Amino acid sequence: MTAPLRTAAELHALAPATARRAVVMTMGALHEGHATLIRTARTLVGPGGQVVVTVFVNPLQFGAGEDLDRYPRTLEADLKTAVGAGADAVFAPPVEEVYPGGEPQVRISAGPMGELLEGASRPGHFDGMLTVVAKLLHLTRPDVALFGQKDAQQLALIRRMTRDLNFPVEIVGVPTVREPDGLALSSRNRYLSTEERHTALVLSRALFAARDRLAAQQALRARAESAPAPTARAAALSALGEARAAADAHAVAAAQPGGCADAVRAAARAVLEDAAKTTPPLVLDYLALVDPADFTEVPDAHIGEAIMALAGRVGATRLIDNIHLTFGAAS
């Protein structure tokens, strides 16, 4: 492959895969996160399958004042990255090929989930995203489509759309790829100055603080379940003046099944509040601990899967991140 495909006719003229076809949809400016998606796609379809990477900066999902014109276009480098990771073809159509009659009058609605979090911050974003994903699924005709878990709400909505509208495609989520210091890979990271990047690290640190707090709470619960009469032990240690041991015993005694989602939220928020005082500051958009099924906030007593998601702005750059958590898991 020496050049990208530019039209639907060129895409449809590709030799059919002898096994399955996978598609990886991107807006270009490919990085290691995208390369991981492509390599995973190659593994899923095997050597006889076909991996198609799409590169299209979709104007429908950019709102007023967002960075459509500023968004990086690096098609030549993208082609090399895609081929190096195992792609068979890159489909990089112009806007006129995807929307030949101008902006479409009929679009996919993201529904109630699309109005939360990212949808509340960027009205109409998810309608535009789902519309182009639906079009690209029709154009590329894959058996499987891969998306990164970093865009967790996007992934959830794509899964919901394909299920609700009976798209004959398997949707696979691929874990977030991070820099060694924890920053989630993003095409927008290139906009950050050295100082801004240092501040941006607080996003992953807040998520990791939440994860660590959950692990600590669940370890306390495990000890409480196995410790005989923890309340009596705490009282005895207090009477002996063993302050540190008594405090630990009281914590164990107070541990109850469920009831730590608020503590996990508080651990992340404490990190983010400190970052708001740095130079340059992190301006928090949202921090949420949500049910993966509908992205509504989970109650304090939640048991099961959850996603902690956050978004913030450092300078002129807006970044998102998330982490999957399991409440009620064994320590």
Side-chain angles (χ1 to χ4, degrees), residues 61-153:
Q61 64 194 73
F62 286 81
E66 294 189 335
D67 57 354
L68 173 60
D69 293 333
R70 186 177 173 226
Y71 199 87
R73 273 81 165 173
T74 57
L75 185 56
E76 185 175 345
D78 293 344
L79 192 64
K80 293 178 181 177
T81 299
V83 172
D88 296 297
V90 171
F91 179 49
V95 172
E96 297 77 19
E97 181 71 18
V98 178
Y99 303 122
E103 290 195 4
Q105 296 185 32
V106 177
R107 307 188 188 193
I108 301 290
S109 170
M113 195 196 313
E115 298 174 358
L116 304 172
L117 303 184
E118 283 297 290
S121 297
R122 305 175 66 190
H125 166 71
F126 285 127
D127 291 356
M129 178 276 295
L130 289 178
T131 298
V132 79
V133 168
K135 293 202 69 160
L136 289 172
L137 286 174
H138 288 312
L139 288 169
T140 58
R141 304 170 185 172
D143 300 288
V144 57
L146 295 89
F147 298 89
Q149 291 179 356
K150 186 178 80 70
D151 296 295
Q153 192 174 3

Side-chain angles (χ1 to χ4, degrees), residues 12-297:
H12 295 159
L14 277 179
T18 57
R20 299 203 298 168
R21 174 183 280 184
V23 66
V24 174
M25 297 183 190
T26 83
M27 293 207 300
L30 302 190
H31 50 63
E32 180 57 27
H34 298 110
T36 298
L37 287 167
I38 298 166
R39 287 193 292 267
T40 304
R42 171 54 63 201
T43 299
L44 285 177
V45 301
Q50 194 174 72
V51 176
V52 175
V53 175
T54 68
V55 175
F56 180 66
V57 182
N58 177 33
L60 296 191
Q61 64 194 73
F62 286 81
E66 294 189 335
D67 57 354
L68 173 60
D69 293 333
R70 186 177 173 226
Y71 199 87
R73 273 81 165 173
T74 57
L75 185 56
E76 185 175 345
D78 293 344
L79 192 64
K80 293 178 181 177
T81 299
V83 172
D88 296 297
V90 171
F91 179 49
V95 172
E96 297 77 19
E97 181 71 18
V98 178
Y99 303 122
E103 290 195 4
Q105 296 185 32
V106 177
R107 307 188 188 193
I108 301 290
S109 170
M113 195 196 313
E115 298 174 358
L116 304 172
L117 303 184
E118 283 297 290
S121 297
R122 305 175 66 190
H125 166 71
F126 285 127
D127 291 356
M129 178 276 295
L130 289 178
T131 298
V132 79
V133 168
K135 293 202 69 160
L136 289 172
L137 286 174
H138 288 312
L139 288 169
T140 58
R141 304 170 185 172
D143 300 288
V144 57
L146 295 89
F147 298 89
Q149 291 179 356
K150 186 178 80 70
D151 296 295
Q153 192 174 3
Q154 170 180 285
L155 174 59
L157 281 163
I158 290 169
R159 283 179 166 149
R160 187 63 187 250
M161 177 186 73
T162 57
R163 182 171 67 249
D164 286 355
L165 301 183
N166 299 101
F167 278 73
V169 61
E170 177 188 0
I171 304 299
V172 173
V174 178
T176 300
V177 179
R178 298 183 180 277
E179 299 278 8
D181 58 11
L183 185 67
L185 286 178
S186 169
S187 301
R188 291 185 169 94
N189 290 351
R190 68 186 66 198
Y191 300 149
L192 299 169
S193 68
T194 300
E195 294 77 14
E196 288 170 344
R197 194 181 187 286
H198 180 74
T199 296
L201 292 175
V202 78
L203 296 172
S204 57
R205 288 174 183 162
L207 296 175
F208 298 157
R211 178 194 62 193
D212 293 346
R213 181 60 182 270
L214 176 59
Q217 291 288 118
Q218 294 185 155
L220 283 174
R221 291 205 183 93
R223 289 172 58 195
E225 291 171 359
S226 62
T231 304
R233 180 174 181 272
L237 287 168
S238 295
L240 290 171
E242 297 288 345
R244 292 182 64 183
D248 177 72
H250 279 295
V252 172
Q256 300 293 329
C260 74
D262 288 348
V264 170
R265 288 185 183 95
R269 192 167 294 280
V271 176
L272 295 168
E273 287 173 352
D274 286 343
K277 304 169 188 174
T278 63
T279 304
L282 172 76
V283 180
L284 183 65
D285 188 346
Y286 62 77
L287 168 70
L289 185 61
V290 299
D291 187 324
D294 57 12
F295 271 67
T296 58
E297 288 279 352

